[in-house]
Amino acid sequence: MKQKQQVSHKISIVIMAGGRGERFWPRSRVGRPKQFADLTGKGSMLYLTYNRALKLVPPERIFVVTGAEYREVTKECLPELPQENIIIEPEGRNTAPCIGLAAVTLEQRQPGAIMAVLPADHLITGENEFVGALEVAAGLAEETGGLVTVGIRPDRPETGYGYLRVGKPSSTADGKTVYRVDSFVEKPDPVRAQLYLQDGGYLWNAGIFVWQASAVLDEFSNHLPGIYAGLQQICSYLGTEKYEEVLQRIYPCLDKISIDYGIMEKADRVYTVPGEFHWDDVGTWMSLERVFGTDNNGNMFRGKVVSLNTENSIIDSSGRMVALIGVKDLVIVETDDVTFVCHKNETDRVRELLEELRRLNMEEYL
């Protein structure tokens, strides 16, 4: 690839902030889910994502897609974000409709824009490398008209992430080698994850995408024509008094499907830029061990914690002191109204517990 001219002036960033973050209950709640919570002690996950975006673009080129119930908390977390840059989904329909709605909005407001899509709730360190990867991805998207994803080199046999199988090197831009994506791979079992790590030809799928807004809309037209048609109807009313009514009527009828299933796995020109930065999706309580590290007994304590003979446990207290004697392999989370205790091997069952709360008509604790 030839050296590209600077393309950062064409980039706009879309932050997806509509998830429910149920696996981080009870710190993540219906009224203030994970992306709006301070899980790291450095600010909300959305705020940290926004600050990273500011290293590349000004506030007027940052957009946040979220639900109507989170409009005010979004404003609270990001007071400098232009209010018109908060794109509201009437209801969650997975990532394809979310990204499509952002794409039609962006293409109308900033024609020819390159669109970088970031989840709101990921932890990234090495922000200069992160910005560099986005700039390389933007140059690649502009030159090829293809779809670009940022992949992460695995450092462990992780079973909680999807993977990208990379093809041969496609080209080099700004000193980085980029690749064609051969295929998207589902979350593996432990044996297969170990094979992926040893193979070296796989990257974690971080859900970070870069493309021209017009290019991804072309892919919607090709592979998700029903969603595309609905988005075009919505788009025709952007900026008019009827927009809200049309959005509320059409958007909930769009197919609920992820961008990976709906487009990325079917598109012909898909590339990846390996990200040379530390990334974690902070998806479960177990991930805090990677974020904060553990002590000599394998414990991760946050807040007021006193322990004797405690091993391999995660304790997160927001107020009251948690005292422990002779326990191991537990996750304990203390909030104002909930004390959550779980064996570390059972953390993937949090959603089952929330269903039980619903069954018991205890929605006030969700």
Side-chain angles (χ1 to χ4, degrees):
M1 175 183 291
K2 298 179 181 179
Q3 185 70 23
K4 293 292 294 178
Q5 294 182 348
Q6 180 60 254
V7 295
S8 60
H9 67 284
K10 298 181 180 179
I11 300 173
S12 288
I13 290 179
V14 173
I15 302 174
M16 296 187 294
R20 299 171 67 182
E22 291 183 332
R23 291 180 296 172
F24 251 102
W25 184 88
R27 187 72 65 220
S28 176
R29 309 295 280 267
V30 168
R32 199 178 186 97
K34 181 179 71 167
Q35 61 270 28
F36 303 109
D38 183 355
L39 299 178
T40 66
K42 298 179 181 179
S44 72
M45 303 299 285
L46 174 59
Y47 171 79
L48 296 177
T49 304
Y50 175 78
N51 269 5
R52 282 194 296 274
L54 286 176
K55 293 182 178 294
L56 188 62
V57 301
E60 57 267 25
R61 296 219 307 273
I62 300 175
F63 297 78
V64 175
V65 186
T66 192
E69 65 271 37
Y70 304 131
R71 185 195 297 270
E72 294 306 315
V73 69
T74 298
K75 293 178 184 178
E76 174 191 326
C77 289
L78 308 177
E80 297 178 358
L81 180 73
Q83 293 190 20
E84 63 270 21
N85 286 14
I86 301 175
I87 301 172
I88 297 299
E89 291 183 282
E91 65 177 55
R93 305 300 294 170
N94 214 319
T95 54
C98 169
I99 289 170
L101 181 62
V104 295
T105 302
L106 203 59
E107 184 62 15
Q108 184 180 92
R109 291 177 55 177
Q110 300 174 0
I114 296 171
M115 174 180 172
V117 180
L118 311 179
D121 54 358
H122 291 179
L123 181 65
I124 289 173
T125 54
E127 293 189 344
N128 290 337
E129 290 79 8
F130 170 75
V131 169
L134 288 188
E135 289 178 330
V136 170
L140 184 61
E142 182 179 52
E143 180 168 305
T144 65
L147 310 182
V148 185
T149 181
V150 177
I152 307 298
R153 298 190 189 281
D155 59 9
R156 62 185 184 275
E158 176 62 54
T159 60
Y161 302 155
Y163 286 70
L164 310 170
R165 178 171 176 79
V166 301
K168 294 181 180 180
S170 173
S171 55
T172 302
D174 299 334
K176 287 183 177 288
T177 303
V178 299
Y179 300 84
R180 282 274 193 161
V181 174
D182 276 353
S183 60
F184 286 74
V185 183
E186 292 298 311
K187 298 175 183 178
D189 58 38
V191 173
R192 195 169 295 277
Q194 184 64 46
L195 292 174
Y196 292 166
L197 181 64
Q198 294 171 350
D199 181 281
Y202 292 83
L203 301 173
W204 287 333
N205 179 8
I208 299 171
F209 306 108
V210 182
W211 42 54
Q212 294 172 313
S214 58
V216 77
L217 289 173
D218 286 343
E219 298 293 347
F220 271 92
S221 177
N222 292 335
H223 303 296
L224 296 173
I227 293 178
Y228 179 78
L231 291 172
Q232 290 304 304
Q233 284 184 273
I234 293 169
C235 179
S236 66
Y237 287 92
L238 275 167
T240 74
E241 294 181 354
K242 291 187 176 181
Y243 172 74
E244 285 295 331
E245 183 272 323
V246 173
L247 178 69
Q248 293 287 340
R249 175 167 48 85
I250 294 177
Y251 194 85
C253 299
L254 301 182
D255 290 341
K256 183 180 285 190
I257 189 170
S258 74
I259 197 74
D260 287 342
Y261 285 132
I263 289 179
M264 300 301 288
E265 294 182 4
K266 300 173 183 176
D268 293 328
R269 292 176 297 171
V270 181
Y271 302 85
T272 187
V273 175
E276 305 299 336
F277 50 85
H278 176 77
W279 168 88
D280 199 304
D281 80 342
V282 199
T284 69
W285 284 108
M286 298 293 290
S287 63
L288 291 190
E289 293 180 333
R290 298 191 297 269
V291 174
F292 295 106
T294 57
D295 63 20
N296 292 335
N297 294 313
N299 297 311
M300 195 294 296
F301 293 159
R302 209 162 59 134
K304 298 177 183 178
V305 182
V306 177
S307 71
L308 297 174
N309 191 28
T310 298
E311 300 177 359
N312 301 319
S313 293
I314 297 171
I315 316 298
D316 184 87
S317 173
S318 62
R320 290 177 297 176
M321 188 262 286
V322 177
L324 308 163
I325 300 176
V327 302
K328 64 179 181 179
D329 301 328
L330 292 183
V331 174
I332 301 176
V333 183
E334 183 276 330
T335 70
D336 290 342
D337 60 345
V338 173
T339 300
F340 171 62
V341 182
C342 177
H343 193 280
K344 290 171 79 171
N345 291 340
E346 300 280 344
T347 55
D348 60 350
R349 300 185 64 190
V350 171
R351 286 171 175 164
E352 293 179 45
L353 184 65
L354 300 187
E355 286 303 315
E356 183 67 5
L357 289 175
R358 293 184 182 97
R359 188 185 71 80
L360 296 171
N361 294 319
M362 301 175 75
E363 287 86 356
E364 68 269 25
Y365 295 106
L366 294 175

